């Protein structure tokens, strides 16, 4: 297993990210970016508050200005120890003072700003009240590709997370399924992810028999039976970067139809993967996978997009879906996960994380995509 990297990024790495984000804001016609605690702040500064409260914490990035992190005074010592702190200026405010006035002094009073999606409404409204001539756009709309292209160090971390998820699958396929509840197998998955280095488990879907026809079933109290198809989808964060993989196993020998549907999804997943190359629109990955399933007569049972981006969160842009014309760029990472869901009967999903290379794509998951028989 790849060794742990608890602090892979330096202040220079974070400085470069903040500079890149400020340039991207200018290119998008924005006066700057306002980043609240959450994935964007972690990615840009390495800082995660010990608790996210009603007290305002906000990173201000603007072209031609040094980055400033506005923080409550009682949290300033923790912020000063963040890996990216040497690349920015801390401006603290004390209880009883107006944090919006302190922030307003850093902003163009008539500018349009990108603001992170998870900023609290009370903070956005407070800024609008203080600076009534400003306007705001969610970062997902204004700069959807901000975190999409990963550098070499990020790709290494994503590969390590993928390897940990693969190791989890290799172990889970050895445990008994028949006669146990979905929740018990889900607990096994969570334990294995942690054993192989995950600090955070985001989801453990164990969808057996008819539950497999619900793509987001997660786990329940249903007892897994002989003859069940079981969709496994699990992932989380390892050293700050995400894993997400799906395999569909079968308890005992499958029927001819179950094998046929599983093979169909495997072929669709392969088609989606083979569509990955620089310059191709995201929607083409969806189209390639979906065509295989539609041509076999199961198109109405593929009921979700083919993929989503992954990085410091397990779901982020870009999305592999019809209508997304964003071209693929080397360093992008996303899932390719077609599925077929037959209501009341069973479902099948096969998912790998894929990164775009200079001439195609590379899978970050490498466990068998063939039908796996479990006990």
């Amino acid at each position: 297993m790849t060794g742990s990297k608890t602090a892979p990024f330096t202040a220079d790495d974070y400085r470069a990210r903040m500079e890149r984000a400020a340039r991207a804001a200018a290119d998008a016609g924005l006066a700057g970016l306002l980043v609240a605690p959450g994935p964007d702040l972690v990615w840009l500064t390495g800082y995660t508050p010990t608790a996210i409260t009603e007290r305002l914490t906000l990173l201000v990035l603007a072209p031609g200005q040094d980055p400033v992190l506005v923080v409550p005074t009682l949290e300033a010592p923790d912020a000063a120890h963040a890996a990216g702190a040497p690349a920015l200026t801390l401006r603290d405010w004390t209880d009883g003072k107006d944090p919006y006035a302190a922030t307003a002094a850093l902003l163009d009073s008539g500018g349009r700003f990108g603001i992170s999606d998870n900023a609290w409404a009370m903070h956005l409204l407070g800024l609008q009240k203080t600076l009534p001539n400003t306007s705001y756009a969610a970062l997902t709309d204004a700069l959807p590709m901000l975190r999409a292209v990963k550098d070499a160090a990020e790709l290494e971390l994503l590969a390590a997370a993928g390897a940990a998820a693969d190791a989890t699958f290799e172990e889970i396929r050895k445990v008994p399924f028949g006669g146990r509840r979905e929740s018990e197998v889900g607990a096994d998955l969570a334990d294995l992810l942690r054993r192989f280095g995950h600090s955070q488990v985001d989801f453990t879907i164990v969808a057996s028999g008819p539950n497999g026809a619900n793509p987001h079933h997660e786990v329940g109290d249903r007892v897994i039976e002989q003859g069940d198809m079981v969709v496994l989808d699990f992932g989380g964060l390892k050293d700050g970067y995400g894993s997400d993989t799906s395999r569909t196993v079968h308890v005992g020998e499958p029927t001819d139809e179950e094998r046929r549907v599983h093979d169909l999804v495997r072929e669709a997943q392969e088609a989606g993967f083979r569509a990955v190359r620089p310059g191709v629109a995201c929607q083409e990955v969806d189209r390639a996978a979906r065509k295989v399933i539609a041509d076999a007569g199961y198109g109405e049972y593929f009921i979700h997009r083919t993929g989503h981006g992954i990085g410091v969160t397990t779901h982020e842009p870009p999305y592999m879906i019809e209508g997304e014309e964003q071209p693929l760029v080397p360093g992008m990472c996303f899932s390719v996960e077609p599925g077929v869901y037959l209501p009341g009967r069973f479902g099948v999903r096969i998912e790998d994380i894929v990164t775009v290379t200079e001439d195609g794509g590379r899978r970050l998951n490498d466990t068998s995509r063939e039908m796996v028989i479990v006990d």
Side-chain angles (χ1 to χ4, degrees):
M1 187 55 56
T2 302
S4 176
K5 287 191 170 186
T6 55
F9 302 115
T10 67
D12 286 341
D13 293 323
Y14 291 114
R15 181 180 289 108
R17 289 179 184 178
M18 287 188 281
E19 290 174 352
R20 187 172 111 199
R23 288 195 302 270
D27 291 343
L30 298 171
L33 301 181
L34 307 177
V35 185
D40 293 316
L41 187 63
V42 172
W43 184 77
L44 287 163
T45 70
Y47 176 53
T48 302
T50 53
I52 299 174
T53 71
E54 73 285 354
R55 292 184 174 96
L56 177 71
T57 295
L58 202 66
L59 175 68
V60 178
L61 298 178
Q65 296 181 21
D66 290 337
V68 177
L69 182 61
V70 178
V71 293
T73 299
L74 75 170
E75 294 174 15
D78 287 341
H81 284 99
L88 51 78
T89 298
L90 289 178
R91 179 169 295 187
D92 64 314
W93 61 276
T94 58
D95 285 353
K97 302 294 185 181
D98 184 350
Y100 307 114
T103 306
L106 305 170
L107 305 181
D108 176 349
S109 61
R112 181 170 178 78
F113 295 88
I115 189 164
S116 50
D117 297 4
N118 51 339
W120 286 21
M122 66 178 286
H123 296 321
L124 176 57
L125 293 169
L127 287 171
Q128 287 179 317
K129 183 177 180 180
T130 304
L131 294 173
N133 293 324
T134 53
S135 59
Y136 302 86
L139 281 190
T140 290
D141 295 328
L143 295 176
M145 296 298 117
L146 180 63
R147 305 194 317 258
V149 178
K150 276 63 179 179
D151 61 25
E154 290 182 292
L155 290 174
E156 184 178 345
L157 288 165
L158 283 161
D166 283 357
T168 295
F169 178 71
E170 294 296 354
E171 290 299 313
I172 201 70
R173 62 186 289 182
K174 301 174 186 176
V175 310
F177 277 69
R180 301 177 70 210
R181 296 185 186 278
E182 293 173 343
S183 56
E184 294 176 285
V185 177
D188 288 344
L189 280 170
D191 289 344
L192 286 165
L193 284 168
R194 293 189 182 98
R195 183 201 302 178
F196 290 113
H198 280 64
S199 60
Q200 177 176 312
V201 176
D202 285 350
F203 47 88
T204 55
I205 292 174
V206 181
S208 64
N211 288 341
N214 175 2
H216 282 174
H217 168 69
E218 295 202 0
V219 297
D221 290 330
R222 184 181 185 275
V223 175
I224 301 169
E225 302 173 354
Q226 279 289 318
D228 277 350
M229 197 84 89
V230 185
V231 178
L232 304 173
D233 185 346
F234 49 93
L237 298 182
K238 179 182 186 295
D239 295 327
Y241 279 75
S243 69
D244 186 1
T245 189
S246 301
R247 294 292 186 263
T248 303
V249 302
H250 198 277
V251 186
E253 285 300 314
T255 66
D256 289 345
E257 182 190 22
E258 287 170 333
R259 282 194 179 277
R260 185 170 65 251
V261 173
H262 190 279
D263 286 345
L264 175 64
V265 174
R266 180 171 53 79
E267 291 167 14
Q269 206 268 348
E270 177 70 16
F273 169 69
R274 291 190 178 280
V276 175
R277 61 186 183 278
V280 168
C282 290
Q283 66 182 359
E284 295 302 330
V285 178
D286 183 84
R287 288 174 176 176
R290 199 168 299 276
K291 184 177 188 303
V292 173
I293 292 173
D295 286 353
Y298 287 87
E300 66 183 293
Y301 304 112
F302 180 10
I303 56 177
H304 56 72
R305 65 195 175 202
T306 293
H308 57 81
I310 190 169
V312 294
T313 60
T314 50
H315 279 215
E316 61 186 46
Y319 299 103
M320 307 301 113
I321 189 170
E322 181 66 32
E324 179 51 81
E325 297 179 351
Q326 166 69 40
L328 299 180
V329 176
M332 284 182 174
C333 291
F334 48 84
S335 65
V336 178
E337 52 176 309
V340 168
Y341 309 94
L342 303 178
R345 301 181 62 206
F346 65 88
V348 177
R349 182 164 64 257
I350 300 173
E351 173 186 15
D352 295 322
I353 298 302
V354 173
T355 183
V356 185
T357 64
E358 294 297 331
D359 57 2
R362 175 170 66 95
R363 285 184 166 105
L364 301 187
N365 296 105
D366 201 32
T367 54
S368 175
R369 284 167 284 276
E370 302 290 336
M371 172 80 77
V372 170
I373 308 299
V374 296
D375 293 332

